[in-house]
Amino acid sequence: MDNCGIDVHRKSSEVCVVDEVGEIVERAQIPTIERSLVRWFGDRVSMRICIDVRRPASCGSMAHGPRLSALHDHRCAAPA
């Protein structure tokens, strides 16, 4: 199963997908809006997603955590 990290920012987010051995499979910069996130993740095979946001309260709203959870297994992480 691939793993995906998303560095969430207000206007666009950096996405990096790595395979099971840690090799980078894909990188992208996508707009941080639900339509773009669903388009990018919606048709992919299941993957683990780690979402990095500035504040934990942002995970559900800015990063569309609830929407992504319906598509893939995701975790929200925020720096202390």
Side-chain angles (χ1 to χ4, degrees):
M1 175 182 290
D2 287 344
N3 296 286
C4 177
I6 308 172
D7 188 7
V8 178
H9 298 277
R10 188 171 301 274
K11 293 184 180 184
S12 66
S13 296
E14 300 290 329
V15 178
C16 182
V17 178
V18 296
D19 62 17
E20 291 180 353
V21 295
E23 296 292 324
I24 295 174
V25 175
E26 187 173 2
R27 286 181 179 236
Q29 183 178 41
I30 58 175
T32 308
I33 56 174
E34 185 173 358
R35 180 179 65 228
S36 295
L37 292 167
V38 169
R39 184 181 309 128
W40 205 86
F41 287 101
D43 293 331
R44 295 176 180 272
V45 292
S46 185
M47 66 175 67
R48 285 184 206 92
I49 299 173
C50 180
I51 303 169
D52 183 16
V53 294
R54 212 168 274 281
R55 288 171 285 187
S58 301
C59 185
S61 57
M62 280 185 63
H64 305 286
R67 180 67 170 156
L68 285 176
S69 66
L71 300 172
H72 300 278
D73 177 24
H74 83 286
R75 302 287 182 262
C76 183

